[in-house]
Amino acid sequence: MRLVASLGEAWLVLVMSLVFGALLAAVQAGWGARIDQNKENDARGRVPLLVHGADGALTPPGEDLEVKDERGMRLYRLYRAMRKGAAAPEQIGWVLKAKGPGYADTIEVLIGMDLAAERLTGLDVLAQNETPCLGNKIREDPWRSQFREKAVGAVLSATKSAAASANEIKAISGATISSQSVCDIVNQATADFSSKLPGLRGRKD
Amino acid sequence: MASDGPTPLERFINGILPENPLYRQVLGTCPSLAVTGNMKAAMTMAGAVAFVLVCANIMTSLIRSFLKPHLRILVFILLIAAFVTIADRFLAAYMYEMSKELGPYVPLIIVNCIIICRCEVCAAKQGVLPSLTDALGQSAGYALALASLATVRELLGSGSWFGIQLFWGEGAEQYRWVLMGQPPGAFLTLGLLMGLSVWISQVWGRRTKPRVSG
Amino acid sequence: MDVISQLVLLSVGTALINNYVLHFFVGMCPFIGVSRRVDMAFGMGAAVTFVITIAGILSWAITYFILQPGAPLTRLILGREIDLSILSYIAYIFVIGACVQFVEMYLRKFFPSLYKAFGVFLPLITTNCAILFACLEIMKHVVGVGPAEQWGLFQAMGLAFFAGIGFTIAIVIMAGIREELDHCDVPGPLRGPGITLIVTGILALAFLGFTGMDRGINKRLVAPKPAASARAQLAAAREGVREHGGAAGAQGATAPARPDLSPDRAGRTADEPGGPARVLP
């Protein structure tokens, strides 16, 4: 009796739960695939922009490589940058997704390298939570373009004055730590991979 | 029936300035400080709030005769949470960059006091048309409040408006008030703008008083 | 050491550096409304900390076992993997509402004077953005994250608890300031929410000074171990290459990989400890 009475009170909530459950299931069915695609394309879509001569290159999902440490935590993700060749897609570069500590939070970057892994071809910032209007500027193209044509394996450092040698990047004024953090991430990533990449280049998946 | 309470049109106009949700009722301060770093994000948030508010108000007024007293809030929250999920998924599907920038503040619309307050005060007691105009008025008022906050913060903080750079050159780079993009600037701006709105209403009240009293 | 350092980083990061009120702007309504007297503010802070911890634990459990794609319980009951994460927000808000209801009933039965002192603010804890924000943070570290990086119960509980502590710190400081502010001559239009927000801005400015503390703590507690990490990455690179190749490719992969790796190892041990990179010949 008590159960029936409380059901009578709560029938509206139950009906609404069913209706909205169905509505949300429809939303998931309709937009779910699109959202997953957006998440995936966020990194993959930027890969062609980071290597030379990409001209609308494809980076098929199955070609990614991952490097994990002993605990199974993913350290880096490696994308192959491809170009539509005459017969089959040919690889023209590497793009490495790396992350490290920044001034405020973790910074996630994509580092583009040429096929021989001798020169950097580009840098893109995927995720950062740096200070707005100051450290935020690491996202902007003028600052990022400094990384092009740097030698892989060179220890980059951010300087307040104009970049003097080939190993220096001009830091964003007022955001030296953010700039140096990006340099540290690039240094660590290229140091870990510059010797391993040529061995991986010729592999077929 | 139409004589009790304001007419639908009056409800709409009320929501914009006299009963502005942010400046008068001091509701919904959480997202209004968080997303007003630039105009684009602020307007996207205003759009999301408008969508949820209108849908929630309409649905509440449609089912108002079935509402039991102690399950009322539960029903409101279920409604609002469902519509916020839809709005959040829409942003993730069609405006992914903006969804990343707004981050967790879109789901926080669920606990935005404006919407629960409007459902409770207005939609649960009125028909569909008054609820709709009330929702539209409050959304317009909220959008106006967010726009005022975001304009000040974006102009002073990065010298742009809606992403269009308005001040440029060496001087503009150096004299940017960077603090405006960060939490302290947000609090200061909202506090000063709130004081400004109170002062304006006081001056307005003083000016219109002699006309009213007979 | 790893657990302790994680705990220290989490506590400092959540309570001070990324303070929920002064950095993330959540929990503003009770912050402006309740922070008039220090004892009331402390009571509100304690209540919010209690609710946020329990809500954090429950929402972690629901997300981990039921809602995430490939969750254990749904796999057990339905027999296949299903992604229920679209119901997350509804689930969290119901969990929070239920927690607040239980806290209300508990207080009314065992601490009636406290219950009366809170008045209408106790059910309003449901609409406190800070609690839902903590649940969303926990969700961010559970859904869509690899199994090795997923947060367990310990981290979720730590985040929720220290978020509440940070909220309490902020609201008690604010109450202390406002008690003094009552004796000040505040200009007319700014009285009430106006001056409260301005003072909060100055407080947020002060808390900005905590930024970067976690990097310093990280450097002290998590000492770099160059030899071990090099060995790990060597092994991992071999693993990673082998995973994505066929059987024939795997045999071929280790052979060319080895000559590449020996100069690498020599280079590493010659490096001074703590240096992240070196110039290759």
Side-chain angles (χ1 to χ4, degrees):
Chain A
M1 260 307 134
R2 284 283 298 271
L3 181 63
V4 173
S6 13
L7 270 183
E9 297 259 317
W11 70 271
L12 181 67
V13 180
L14 295 172
V15 166
M16 282 181 58
S17 308
L18 285 174
V19 167
F20 282 118
L23 185 62
L24 290 180
V27 163
Q28 173 79 345
W31 290 335
R34 211 194 151 99
I35 295 174
D36 291 333
Q37 192 71 20
N38 279 343
K39 280 196 201 136
E40 194 46 49
N41 281 347
D42 198 30
R44 199 181 300 284
R46 299 180 199 221
V47 163
L49 303 170
L50 294 174
V51 295
H52 294 316
D55 66 20
L58 7 123
T59 49
E63 305 264 325
D64 298 347
L65 300 169
E66 283 187 359
V67 171
K68 305 192 174 130
D69 71 357
E70 60 240 344
R71 289 173 298 167
M73 289 194 49
R74 189 172 62 209
L75 289 172
Y76 300 109
R77 194 181 188 113
L78 188 59
Y79 298 94
R80 298 171 189 270
M82 318 287 270
R83 174 174 55 201
K84 299 187 187 72
E90 55 188 32
Q91 182 169 356
I92 49 171
W94 301 93
V95 173
L96 193 57
K97 181 156 86 162
K99 65 180 172 191
Y103 175 64
D105 205 351
T106 320
I107 302 180
E108 211 171 74
V109 294
L110 285 174
I111 306 165
M113 292 179 264
D114 63 356
L115 197 58
E118 278 159 16
R119 297 248 145 224
L120 295 180
T121 51
L123 180 85
D124 201 350
V125 175
L126 275 181
Q128 51 82 27
N129 256 332
E130 305 298 289
T131 321
C133 307
L134 276 180
N136 241 354
K137 295 228 185 85
I138 57 175
R139 314 182 284 194
E140 287 167 18
D141 203 29
W143 188 79
R144 288 189 286 118
S145 61
Q146 292 181 88
F147 284 87
R148 289 183 202 143
E149 302 311 319
K150 293 289 180 200
V152 167
V155 180
L156 300 170
S157 61
T159 57
K160 290 195 185 147
S161 49
S165 75
N167 285 353
E168 284 182 356
I169 303 269
K170 181 169 185 342
I172 297 170
S173 62
T176 331
I177 299 186
S178 298
S179 317
Q180 184 60 44
S181 304
V182 174
C183 290
D184 288 339
I185 297 172
V186 173
N187 292 337
Q188 179 76 51
T190 54
D192 286 337
F193 276 93
S194 56
S195 60
K196 297 176 190 76
L197 274 179
L200 301 171
R201 190 195 334 160
R203 293 190 18 75
K204 292 262 178 284
D205 280 324
Chain B
M1 271 304 153
S3 57
D4 54 340
T7 67
L9 186 61
E10 273 171 17
R11 279 183 199 278
F12 178 76
I13 298 179
N14 264 354
I16 301 182
L17 274 183
E19 274 179 42
N20 189 290
L22 184 61
Y23 288 132
R24 285 273 170 282
Q25 302 177 60
V26 195
L27 297 174
T29 45
C30 305
S32 57
L33 290 163
V35 308
T36 45
N38 53 61
M39 276 296 288
K40 248 191 185 169
M43 289 299 102
T44 313
M45 172 61 84
V49 170
F51 168 72
V52 176
L53 189 51
V54 166
C55 292
N57 259 19
I58 293 180
M59 280 236 65
T60 310
S61 86
L62 282 176
I63 61 173
R64 70 183 184 279
S65 44
F66 302 123
L67 290 173
K68 301 284 190 301
H70 38 271
L71 287 179
R72 222 172 56 244
I73 304 283
L74 192 71
V75 170
F76 293 157
I77 291 189
L78 181 60
L79 267 177
I80 296 171
F83 285 121
V84 169
T85 311
I86 296 176
D88 180 58
R89 294 287 99 189
F90 176 80
L91 281 180
Y94 292 102
M95 298 171 76
Y96 189 65
E97 286 296 325
M98 195 46 65
S99 164
K100 271 205 305 185
E101 188 174 339
L102 290 178
Y105 291 102
V106 176
L108 282 185
I109 299 179
I110 302 178
V111 288
N112 193 330
C113 304
I114 300 177
I115 308 184
I116 301 183
C117 192
R118 284 292 115 190
C119 283
E120 168 83 20
V121 162
C122 174
K125 303 179 182 126
Q126 306 288 334
V128 176
L129 185 61
S131 308
L132 176 64
T133 53
D134 183 76
L136 287 174
Q138 293 282 318
S139 315
Y142 192 61
L144 215 65
L146 285 186
S148 62
L149 208 50
T151 304
V152 172
R153 285 182 70 190
E154 198 181 354
L155 274 178
L156 291 177
S158 37
S160 59
W161 197 68
F162 258 112
I164 310 169
Q165 202 68 22
L166 289 179
F167 307 118
W168 55 94
E170 271 298 320
E173 279 280 329
Q174 256 187 319
Y175 294 115
R176 232 164 254 193
W177 194 1
V178 167
L179 199 65
M180 275 294 152
Q182 296 173 260
F187 285 119
L188 283 169
T189 313
L190 185 58
L192 289 172
L193 282 178
M194 233 180 236
L196 188 69
S197 82
V198 170
W199 181 73
I200 287 179
S201 76
Q202 279 176 350
V203 166
W204 189 263
R206 274 200 296 266
R207 253 199 223 147
T208 54
K209 243 193 206 146
R211 244 180 274 164
V212 171
S213 59
Chain C
M1 249 313 120
D2 199 35
V3 167
I4 306 254
S5 64
Q6 255 195 348
L7 184 65
V8 170
L9 282 172
L10 193 65
S11 61
V12 166
T14 320
L16 294 176
I17 303 174
N18 294 328
N19 187 292
Y20 268 35
V21 181
L22 300 171
H23 186 266
F24 284 129
F25 310 107
V26 287
M28 290 298 302
C29 292
F31 187 76
I32 298 181
V34 182
S35 60
R36 286 199 155 262
R37 283 173 25 217
V38 176
D39 48 0
M40 285 248 5
F42 189 73
M44 171 58 96
V48 167
T49 307
F50 186 65
V51 175
I52 204 174
T53 312
I54 299 185
I57 296 174
L58 285 177
S59 52
W60 175 85
I62 291 180
T63 312
Y64 187 81
F65 290 114
I66 302 178
L67 291 178
Q68 65 165 330
L73 271 184
T74 47
R75 212 170 345 147
L76 205 66
I77 296 176
L78 292 173
R80 60 190 182 91
E81 303 209 341
I82 188 172
D83 180 8
L84 289 174
S85 56
I86 197 164
L87 298 176
S88 312
Y89 305 150
I90 298 184
Y92 295 155
I93 195 67
F94 276 146
V95 162
I96 296 171
C99 284
V100 173
Q101 280 283 70
F102 278 121
V103 168
E104 243 187 295
M105 292 189 326
Y106 181 77
L107 278 188
R108 189 161 53 185
K109 188 152 192 178
F110 294 111
F111 299 101
S113 56
L114 198 62
Y115 177 78
K116 225 176 294 209
F118 271 126
V120 71
F121 288 115
L122 200 52
L124 275 186
I125 296 182
T126 318
T127 58
N128 190 335
C129 302
I131 308 182
L132 187 58
F133 193 84
C135 295
L136 293 173
E137 277 290 299
I138 294 172
M139 174 176 110
K140 198 165 73 169
H141 288 271
V142 172
V143 174
V145 173
E149 294 165 335
Q150 248 182 357
W151 271 14
L153 181 63
F154 174 65
Q155 283 131 316
M157 194 163 67
L159 176 93
F161 179 70
F162 285 109
I165 296 284
F167 176 82
T168 310
I169 292 175
I171 201 174
V172 167
I173 294 179
M174 196 62 209
I177 297 177
R178 278 188 94 177
E179 277 186 358
E180 298 296 317
L181 216 53
D182 283 340
H183 306 297
C184 292
D185 188 17
V186 180
L190 284 178
R191 274 191 210 139
I195 192 68
T196 310
L197 284 164
I198 294 177
V199 172
T200 312
I202 301 177
L203 195 57
L205 197 57
F207 266 66
L208 268 190
F210 285 121
T211 324
M213 239 173 94
D214 53 350
R215 293 172 78 245
I217 295 178
N218 212 0
K219 270 199 201 130
R220 302 261 167 176
L221 288 178
V222 186
K225 300 188 202 42
S229 71
R231 242 179 287 129
Q233 279 158 5
L234 260 51
R238 243 179 262 138
E239 273 303 310
V241 165
R242 208 177 295 142
E243 270 175 31
H244 293 271
Q251 260 69 40
T254 46
R258 219 171 289 154
D260 283 71
L261 299 173
S262 41
D264 193 271
R265 203 182 309 171
R268 276 268 183 206
T269 48
D271 197 12
E272 62 271 13
R278 67 257 182 261
V279 180
L280 285 181

